[in-house]
Structures are given as C-alpha cells and as structure tokens.
C-alpha cells in the first residue's frame, strides 16, 4: 500500500482526505486478488500428497482384492473334498479306525472296530420298517437321493450290512450256499479289491463280483435279467459313465442282493 501511495503521490505529500480516498480505492481494487488467494488456500485440503495417495491406493487395492481372494479360497475348499462323500468315506458311525480297509477292523473277531460297528448296525436296522426303507432307497437310489439327499446311508455302511447278512446267511443258505456270496464276503474282509484308491474301479469290481453270483439267490428270471443288464451296461460303458452313475448302479446291485436274501424279513 505504501508503495502504491508513493506512486500515486509522485513522492509528494497529499492531503488527509486525498490519502483516505486513495487507500480506499487501492483496497477495493485489490479485493478480487485477495478473494482468489483465499479460495486457493482453502482449497488445498482437496489435494493428496504422494504418500497419502499410495497408502490410499494400497488400501483400496487390498479391499478390492479381498472378495476375489475369498471367493477363490471358497472355491478351493468346496472342490477339494470328494463331491460324493457317501460313496467314498471309509469311517462308519464316526468310529475312529473303522471301515473295511482299517487294520483295526478285524472282521469276524470280537475285538476290533468291526465288532463295535456291527453292534450299532444291528440296532440301527432292527425293525422291518427301517430295513424296508433301506432296501427301497437302494433299489431306486436316484429318486431317493433327489427327494432325501441328507438321509442316504454311506456305502461303507451298506457293505457292513451286506457282510452281516452274508454272515448270517451261511446258517440258512440265504447267502447262496456253495458258489454264493461267502467268497465275496472273504474278498471284502481282505480290504483290497473293493478298497482301491480309484473309487470307480472299486465300484466296478464290486458290481462284477456281486452280479456274478446273483443267480444263486435270485427269485425269478426278471430279477436275474435286471442284474445282468446293469452289469453289462456298466462293463460296456465304464469309460463313458460318470462316477455318480457307477455309484448308483453299485447301490442298486446291493439293494437287489438284500431284497433277494429277504433282508427285510430276516434282519441281521
């Protein structure tokens, strides 16, 4: 202001009134510049320094990538377990070291997890009503799985039921007698042929052996024909059938055997 006053006055003294008039004029002419500077200063809060910007970007990046990472992890956890646990799980009734392949199974002995599971199995299937429901679920596994997906017995338990039924059948001949299912029971107790690492191969072996002896217990030609059709179909299309189809056929074969042995009426 002093500089401007000096210029205006030409270095000469000015009256008091003229001085006030010049000051007022200079202030009014400077207001737009002052307002512009004030606005610029207040607006600096909208800018971000490089360090803040990098931190913000990293945080945003992490936030955005988390859902993708979580989804990827979820997909892995969903696909890692076998999609058909009732067909492949080896443990029965949540008893540790149970199952036909376990060294502590000891089939036929009073000591072992096989004996423990057999006690539970006999109680579990102690009524005709429950046994009939089981047989029907096996004879039409696709319909049963669709209508009651959480009620399906594991196939390892089905093998236990078959084992006990064949064991009992030795006394009354319902196992087919000579050339019947006693050999299949021995094979099952050995824990190899039906316990392959390849679950589909295990199922195919089971179907082959069970169907091959069905003539010793079948009650009519229609039953026998149906079993042969299933076995031939699996054998002819084993390279084209899906896992679930093979496992369904295995259940059907097991159901037909239990039905023909009068499992519903005889029990275990």
């Amino acid at each position: 202001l002093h500089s401007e006053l000096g210029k205006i006055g030409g270095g000469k003294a000015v009256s008091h009134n003229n001085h006030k008039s010049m000051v007022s004029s200079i202030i009014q002419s400077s207001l737009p510049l002052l307002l512009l500077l004030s606005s610029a200063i207040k607006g600096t809060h909208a800018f971000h320094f490089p360090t803040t910007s990098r931190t913000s970007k990293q945080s945003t990046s992490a936030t955005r990538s988390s859902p993708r990472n979580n989804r990827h992890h979820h997909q892995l956890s969903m696909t890692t377990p076998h999609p058909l646990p009732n067909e492949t799980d080896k443990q029965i009734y949540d008893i540790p070291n149970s199952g036909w392949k376990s060294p502590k199974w000891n089939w036929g002995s009073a000591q072992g997890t096989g004996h423990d599971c057999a006690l539970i199995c006999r109680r579990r299937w102690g009524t005709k009503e429950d046994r009939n429901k089981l047989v029907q679920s096996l004879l039409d596994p696709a319909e049963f799985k669709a209508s009651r997906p959480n009620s399906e017995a594991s196939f390892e338990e089905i093998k236990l039921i078959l084992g006990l039924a064949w064991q009992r059948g030795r006394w009354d001949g319902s196992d087919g007698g000579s050339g019947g299912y006693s050999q299949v029971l021995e094979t099952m107790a050995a824990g190899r042929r039906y316990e392959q690492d390849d679950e589909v191969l295990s199922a195919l072996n089971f179907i082959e052996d069970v169907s091959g002896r069905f003539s010793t217990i079948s009650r009519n030609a229609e039953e026998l024909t149906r079993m042969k059709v299933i076995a031939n179909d699996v054998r002819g299309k084993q390279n084209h059938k899906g896992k679930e189809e093979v496992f369904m056929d295995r259940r059907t074969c097991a159901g037909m055997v239990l039905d023909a042995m009068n499992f519903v009426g005889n029990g275990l």
Side-chain angles (χ1 to χ4, degrees), residues 36-262:
L36 179 62
L37 291 172
S38 175
S39 176
I41 292 169
K42 289 180 179 178
T44 56
H45 72 276
F47 297 95
H48 300 281
F49 295 101
T51 54
T52 305
S53 177
R54 283 196 297 268
T55 303
S56 176
K57 288 180 180 179
Q58 289 172 357
S59 176
T60 303
S61 176
T63 302
R64 289 178 180 173
S65 65
S66 293
R68 289 199 298 270
N69 291 338
N70 289 341
R71 285 198 297 271
H72 181 61
H73 175 74
H74 179 68
Q75 290 169 354
L76 286 176
S77 65
M78 289 295 290
T79 57
T80 300
H82 198 285
L84 300 168
N86 283 340
E87 307 296 345
T88 59
D89 285 354
K90 299 306 179 183
Q91 186 169 282
I92 307 175
Y93 305 137
D94 294 325
I95 295 179
N97 301 308
S98 59
W100 291 89
K101 195 174 183 178
S102 171
K104 295 187 178 181
W105 183 243
N106 294 334
W107 179 256
S109 170
Q111 301 294 325
T113 56
H115 177 71
D116 298 337
C117 289
L119 292 176
I120 298 173
C121 188
R122 289 190 173 99
R123 290 196 302 267
R124 177 172 164 83
W125 306 107
T127 68
K128 286 185 178 182
E129 181 182 4
D130 287 338
R131 292 194 295 271
N132 182 60
K133 288 179 180 178
L134 174 66
V135 170
Q136 296 308 313
S137 74
L138 293 170
L139 291 176
D140 193 356
E143 192 280 333
F144 186 83
K145 183 185 284 289
S147 60
R148 301 176 64 186
N150 298 321
S151 302
E152 189 179 53
S154 71
F155 198 76
E156 199 72 357
E157 181 184 9
I158 300 302
K159 284 155 62 181
L160 172 59
I161 294 167
L162 285 167
L164 292 173
W166 291 332
Q167 191 178 65
R168 182 193 178 282
R170 289 177 176 178
W171 302 103
D172 61 10
S174 60
D175 71 335
S178 178
Y181 286 94
S182 59
Q183 182 60 50
V184 179
L185 177 56
E186 290 179 15
T187 302
M188 195 156 65
R192 289 190 296 273
R193 183 165 165 79
Y194 314 137
E195 312 297 334
Q196 303 285 329
D197 291 336
D198 185 335
E199 295 290 347
V200 174
L201 178 58
S202 296
L204 292 171
N205 289 341
F206 179 89
I207 293 171
E208 179 181 355
D209 292 355
V210 166
S211 64
R213 289 166 175 78
F214 191 65
S215 61
T216 63
I217 63 170
S218 61
R219 296 164 293 187
N220 52 60
E222 184 180 353
E223 282 185 344
L224 185 57
T225 299
R226 185 188 180 193
M227 181 67 85
K228 287 181 178 179
V229 167
I230 292 173
N232 290 336
D233 184 59
V234 169
R235 191 179 301 114
K237 299 178 181 178
Q238 59 180 299
N239 295 326
H240 306 287
K241 279 202 169 199
K243 285 181 180 180
E244 190 163 5
E245 288 182 280
V246 174
F247 293 151
M248 292 285 189
D249 288 339
R250 180 174 63 174
R251 283 182 176 269
T252 302
C253 290
M256 291 182 68
V257 169
L258 289 173
D259 192 27
M261 290 180 67
N262 193 28

Side-chain angles (χ1 to χ4, degrees), residues 5 13-25:
L5 288 171
V14 294
S15 68
H16 179 71
N17 290 335
N18 288 339
H19 185 274
K20 288 175 62 178
S21 176
M22 285 187 292
V23 170
S24 176
S25 175

